[in-house]
Amino acid sequence: MTEPAAPAAELVVVANRLPVDRVVDAVEGPGWRRSPGGLVTALEPVMRRADGAWVGWPGQPDIEVEPFEFEGTHLVPVALSAEEVELYYEGMSNDTFWPLYHDVIAAPRYRRLWWDAYVKVNRRFADAAAGVAAEGGTVWVQDYQLQLVPQMLREARPDLTIGYFHHIPFPAYGLYSQLPWRRQVLEGLLGADVIGFQRVADAGNFARAVRRQLRYQTKATGITVPEPDGSTRNALARAFPISIDTGSYIELAARADIRARAAEIRESLGNPKKILLGVDRLDYTKGIRHRLKAFGELLEDGRIDVEDVTLVQVASPSRERVEAYMQLRDEIELTVGRINGDHDTMGHTAIRYLHQAYPREEMVALFLAADVMLVTALRDGMNLVAKEYVASRTDNRGVLVLSEFAGAADELPSAIRINPHDIHGMKEAIMRAIEMPAAEQGRRMRALRKKVIENDVATWSRSFLDALEVARTAKRAKQAGA
Ligand code: G6P
């Protein structure tokens, strides 16, 4: 058994990325800044209380960094070589698992070399977590880059209680079964005591894969997993829909400078009557092409006029060395260029396209400036942007158009629901959103806001950690009885 190194952490989070970004200041030199994500914000107080540690990759190849303290959390960097970034991260994680788990929107590639690197890197993360976790502690593994870590960790440290949360969809068995390593991945995940998914349907797909592939018994959310000694244990696999730090969006939306910025954005777009907004990582799962198609046709049909309606599309750069992402960027930029070329006037643009990432303040100003938010994902684990828009609309105005293929659709039935493959339907939905009377906007937005206020990311992490605590208690009782 690996001896836990000091300081031993009662709670260890293991994620592909550390919760910090490396920054180089002209005066102070290199340092770290907290990453903007909601997960990081939600876990910060929990980590402080639990003397927590976070195991992850610093985000750049070939940098060796010693463990260090950051805002009350012990950070344990896992170094990846340039080759490992290519094989484990860009290859296996983002060119195999990502497209396969998003219903093969792009073709997954199955390469043995990538798999070997994935196993090796997962082992390194598991070893790092085993080295830092306190005796009898809890480890929470995050996402598809680390699906083998739960089992590796259980073998090295049977004293630990292990959770895993899957942030992306889990596909239907007919697709999942393409994976040449389908058994190993299921066994890897089942190393966890609690396996969390975004939607009830994802948890169902997982349980079915376990039944079909491993022949284990499942009952509701419980899976009976055989132990090496011939006994069995129970693993819990259920939905824990993730959310955002709603309160911080509400606070930002109240700030006078951010409200002024929203007005300035409208002004700089030539004060169109309606602003439509899309905010996505530039990813083929987001349905950006479908959205542009619908919008372009509405202009073409003369149902909207470039003087009155503008689409702002923020597409933040992502996974730029993966071929499918390069291709997507070319297609999107060609389409945007064509639509703008056909419809722009000197004073108004059809699509303001921004291939950039912005701080949260600017995003909230954009949310406040936008009359209609378009979330047209072909497949999405949750889609937090939909929740961020709703959280920011403290004025109870604005319309959310939401794909039924995004996890958020389960919790947000008061949005205008669309099937993004149905371009005709999407065009009608966009028109309805543009024309929606203020009273109906208010009714829907209030119902949507209620949901993101009730289930914020703190509620989410609490419910997952509570489920882990129940598993831990059960484990102790079993050990005491044995
Ligand atoms: C999705 C995944 C995350 C991932 C994020 C950004 O939300 O679920 O695990 O971190 O995309 O992608 P990247 O490859 O830049 O980490």
Side-chain angles (χ1 to χ4, degrees):
M1 193 199 291
T2 320
E3 277 296 309
E10 287 299 330
L11 175 65
V12 180
V13 169
V14 192
N16 179 50
R17 290 180 186 273
L18 281 176
V20 291
D21 297 316
R22 201 170 164 80
V23 284
V24 182
D25 186 275
V27 185
E28 303 197 359
W32 301 93
R33 189 180 46 210
R34 177 139 70 101
S35 315
L39 178 67
V40 176
T41 316
L43 292 180
E44 194 210 54
V46 188
M47 296 295 262
R48 256 183 220 280
R49 272 199 307 276
D51 277 332
W54 189 305
V55 175
W57 173 47
Q60 287 166 28
D62 290 318
I63 55 168
E64 295 272 353
V65 191
E66 287 302 309
F68 60 102
E69 297 298 316
F70 186 88
E71 295 181 355
T73 305
H74 185 65
L75 301 188
V76 183
V78 174
L80 298 179
S81 68
E83 193 190 17
E84 284 165 346
V85 171
E86 192 185 324
L87 307 180
Y88 147 80
Y89 170 72
E90 290 160 357
M92 194 69 206
S93 297
N94 291 324
D95 217 3
T96 307
F97 285 122
W98 183 268
L100 176 65
Y101 286 13
H102 288 86
D103 290 356
V104 305
I105 295 167
R109 295 165 67 197
Y110 303 112
R111 299 199 51 194
R112 285 165 285 181
L113 200 66
W114 292 356
W115 170 254
D116 294 343
Y118 185 83
V119 176
K120 189 169 136 210
V121 170
N122 269 243
R123 171 83 54 201
R124 190 172 308 148
F125 277 86
D127 287 348
V132 79
E135 179 70 27
T138 298
V139 179
W140 189 2
V141 182
Q142 309 287 332
D143 227 358
Y144 65 102
Q145 301 92 346
L146 301 174
Q147 295 170 97
L148 306 178
V149 171
Q151 186 195 29
M152 290 172 170
L153 205 48
R154 175 174 288 272
E155 282 166 7
R157 293 285 306 273
D159 58 297
L160 300 174
T161 303
I162 302 168
Y164 170 89
F165 187 74
H166 195 73
H167 292 250
I168 69 173
F170 196 90
Y173 185 68
L175 293 174
Y176 180 75
S177 55
Q178 287 185 8
L179 185 68
W181 309 281
R182 57 199 185 185
R183 280 185 78 86
Q184 290 95 314
V185 169
L186 295 175
E187 283 167 353
L189 292 169
L190 284 169
D193 299 287
V194 178
I195 306 160
F197 295 92
Q198 301 283 25
R199 308 179 91 158
V200 173
D202 296 317
N205 287 342
F206 174 72
R208 183 169 159 80
V210 168
R211 281 196 301 275
R212 294 286 300 267
Q213 202 39 240
L214 303 177
R215 305 270 160 215
Y216 295 173
Q217 286 198 356
T218 70
K219 197 173 165 197
T221 54
I223 300 176
T224 309
V225 185
E227 294 270 60
D229 67 0
S231 68
T232 60
R233 65 183 168 88
N234 192 47
L236 176 72
R238 55 156 269 218
F240 295 86
I242 200 171
S243 193
I244 56 167
D245 49 334
T246 309
S248 78
Y249 284 87
I250 294 175
E251 276 169 30
L252 289 173
R255 254 169 56 180
D257 58 330
I258 290 179
R259 303 189 83 87
R261 175 66 190 143
E264 191 179 280
I265 290 171
R266 288 198 82 100
E267 186 76 31
S268 60
L269 290 167
N271 271 319
K273 290 195 185 115
K274 295 285 174 178
I275 295 175
L276 315 185
L277 176 64
V279 174
D280 312 84
R281 270 186 314 101
L282 186 45
D283 195 296
Y284 48 79
T285 58
K286 304 292 182 182
I288 304 172
R289 276 178 303 197
H290 298 63
R291 184 184 314 165
L292 295 178
K293 174 116 185 119
F295 183 70
E297 283 191 17
L298 287 173
L299 283 165
E300 207 56 49
D301 301 344
R303 292 178 75 185
I304 55 174
D305 192 291
V306 74
E307 303 282 326
D308 301 331
V309 182
T310 295
L311 168 62
V312 176
Q313 176 63 55
V314 176
S316 52
S318 185
R319 306 175 188 164
E320 292 186 283
R321 284 153 44 96
V322 179
E323 181 62 33
Y325 289 76
M326 296 181 201
Q327 261 180 32
L328 175 76
R329 183 173 176 195
D330 286 347
E331 285 172 34
I332 301 275
E333 294 183 354
L334 181 75
T335 308
V336 169
R338 284 206 176 136
I339 295 176
N340 282 346
D342 286 344
H343 297 283
D344 279 9
T345 60
M346 288 301 170
H348 289 93
T349 187
I351 304 166
R352 177 58 53 86
Y353 168 77
L354 303 149
H355 183 243
Q356 292 160 57
Y358 294 97
R360 204 181 267 198
E361 287 77 5
E362 181 73 355
M363 293 317 303
V364 172
L366 262 172
F367 292 145
L368 291 175
D371 302 286
V372 178
M373 180 80 214
L374 298 174
V375 176
T376 63
L378 304 175
R379 187 46 91 190
D380 207 333
M382 176 52 65
N383 197 289
L384 294 178
V385 170
K387 293 188 173 181
E388 291 168 4
Y389 178 68
V390 166
S392 305
R393 295 314 303 238
T394 49
D395 57 354
N396 292 315
R397 284 296 178 86
V399 184
L400 174 64
V401 174
L402 178 59
S403 165
E404 62 189 70
F405 300 108
D410 285 357
E411 287 170 278
L412 303 177
S414 301
I416 295 195
R417 222 177 143 88
I418 55 152
N419 167 6
H421 296 283
D422 169 11
I423 302 294
H424 171 76
M426 179 153 38
K427 286 165 71 179
E428 294 308 312
I430 293 174
M431 288 313 298
R432 199 170 150 211
I434 288 175
E435 289 162 0
M436 189 181 286
E440 187 183 349
Q441 289 183 32
R443 247 188 343 267
R444 287 175 179 265
M445 191 52 81
R446 271 188 286 275
L448 294 170
R449 293 182 53 74
K450 191 161 176 281
K451 293 293 172 84
V452 298
I453 290 168
E454 271 166 16
N455 182 32
D456 70 357
V457 74
T459 317
W460 169 79
S461 67
R462 211 176 307 124
S463 70
F464 192 93
L465 290 168
D466 284 351
L468 269 178
E469 194 50 41
V470 171
R472 187 157 108 131
T473 310
K475 194 168 185 157
R476 294 223 167 127
K478 196 173 162 192
Q479 277 162 357

